Amino acid sequence: LAKTTQPISMDSYEGQEVNITCSHNNIATNDYITWYQQFPSQGPRFIIQGYKTKVTNEVASLFIPADRKSSTLSLPRVSLSDTAVYYCLVGDNFNKFYFGSGTKLNVKP
Amino acid sequence: EAGVTQFPSHSVIEKGQTVTLRCDPISGHDNLYWYRRVMGKEIKFLLHFVKESKQDESGMPNNRFLAERTGGTYSTLKVQPAELEDSGVYFCASSQAPSYEQYFGPGTRLTVT
């Protein structure tokens, strides 16, 4: 199982782009990278998933370099409502997610 | 469309008592999962149902925990007898193939005193 390492916390200001990087040096060939977001008193919520290169949806972008040993979640123009914990999950079993400690993002006005 | 719902939102019980948590997945979702976060720890997988069958229960901590999903709709997670270390937030999630996205409920906060 690939271990993931993320910053414990990050601060940002409204309107800025936020990039959260996750390290997963032992990622396996079949593993995908999935990011979840969690607000206080709520369950985690899916943001984006990718295998390689770049994935973009209406919420975020996910950048994965060729060696796949890391990935970066990019949130464009964050607002106060983006204050949450962001989890990077790596694995090939979509029926059994492993959550790490996550990154607590604090968006300031 | 209603999301995943869990009941109760909060339960406070004494050590040795029994508690039953309920999860109603999104309608039509065959896959149902239970996770939990105990104090200060990470969210951990407990088990996975496909319809009414337990597909993977490798995360269940011990035999004091019993999960059921009769009829393949809602699921219950019973803790009997509850211990102090069972305190935490219990999340339920559901998904439907071929989507890999798991939809989580708001969780049930269990406090054992």
Side-chain angles (χ1 to χ4, degrees):
Chain A
L1 182 67
K3 178 178 169 59
T4 60
T5 303
Q6 303 174 234
I8 295 174
S9 65
M10 292 180 67
D11 288 333
S12 181
Y13 290 92
E14 282 191 290
Q16 289 187 332
E17 177 184 80
V18 171
N19 296 310
I20 305 174
T21 297
C22 176
S23 297
H24 27 81
N25 291 318
N26 297 323
I27 189 169
T29 303
N30 295 331
D31 286 345
Y32 279 72
I33 300 155
T34 309
W35 285 80
Y36 271 76
Q37 172 192 56
Q38 186 179 23
F39 298 112
S41 301
Q42 293 187 26
R45 185 172 73 118
F46 173 86
I47 300 176
I48 198 166
Q49 185 182 78
Y51 183 81
K52 63 180 179 180
T53 62
K54 177 184 174 182
V55 180
T56 297
N57 61 22
E58 63 278 6
V59 177
S61 294
L62 178 59
F63 298 91
I64 306 169
D67 66 6
R68 304 200 325 124
K69 293 184 183 299
S70 67
S71 58
T72 299
L73 174 72
S74 182
L75 305 172
R77 296 179 301 280
V78 295
S79 64
L80 295 176
S81 62
D82 292 317
T83 293
V85 178
Y86 292 81
Y87 296 97
C88 167
L89 290 68
V90 174
D92 63 353
N93 184 349
F94 302 143
N95 291 313
K96 188 175 185 177
F97 282 132
Y98 291 90
F99 287 83
S101 301
T103 297
K104 190 170 185 178
L105 174 65
N106 183 30
V107 180
K108 303 175 183 178
Chain B
E1 178 182 324
V4 176
T5 58
Q6 294 186 244
F7 182 83
S9 57
H10 192 181
S11 178
V12 181
I13 61 172
E14 292 183 354
K15 176 182 172 180
Q17 289 186 323
T18 297
V19 63
T20 300
L21 313 181
R22 172 170 169 144
C23 168
D24 285 80
I26 292 173
S27 178
H29 280 194
D30 289 336
N31 295 296
L32 187 149
Y33 315 84
W34 284 98
Y35 291 80
R36 75 170 181 175
R37 189 213 311 270
V38 295
M39 270 313 192
K41 302 288 187 179
E42 299 161 357
I43 298 173
K44 290 283 179 68
F45 168 87
L46 295 179
L47 89 161
H48 166 218
F49 283 100
V50 177
K51 297 185 180 178
E52 66 275 10
S53 300
K54 292 176 185 174
Q55 198 71 15
D56 181 352
E57 50 184 329
S58 60
M60 294 288 265
N62 52 60
N63 59 10
R64 294 187 293 103
F65 289 75
L66 174 64
E68 295 181 318
R69 193 183 182 195
T70 307
T73 54
Y74 71 90
S75 174
T76 58
L77 179 64
K78 180 191 289 187
V79 184
Q80 179 183 29
E83 298 289 345
L84 298 178
E85 64 264 24
D86 299 332
S87 295
V89 182
Y90 289 76
F91 294 103
C92 174
S94 71
S95 72
Q96 180 62 18
S99 174
Y100 42 74
E101 181 176 345
Q102 291 188 19
Y103 295 84
F104 281 77
T108 292
R109 180 172 295 278
L110 174 64
T111 302
V112 183
T113 63

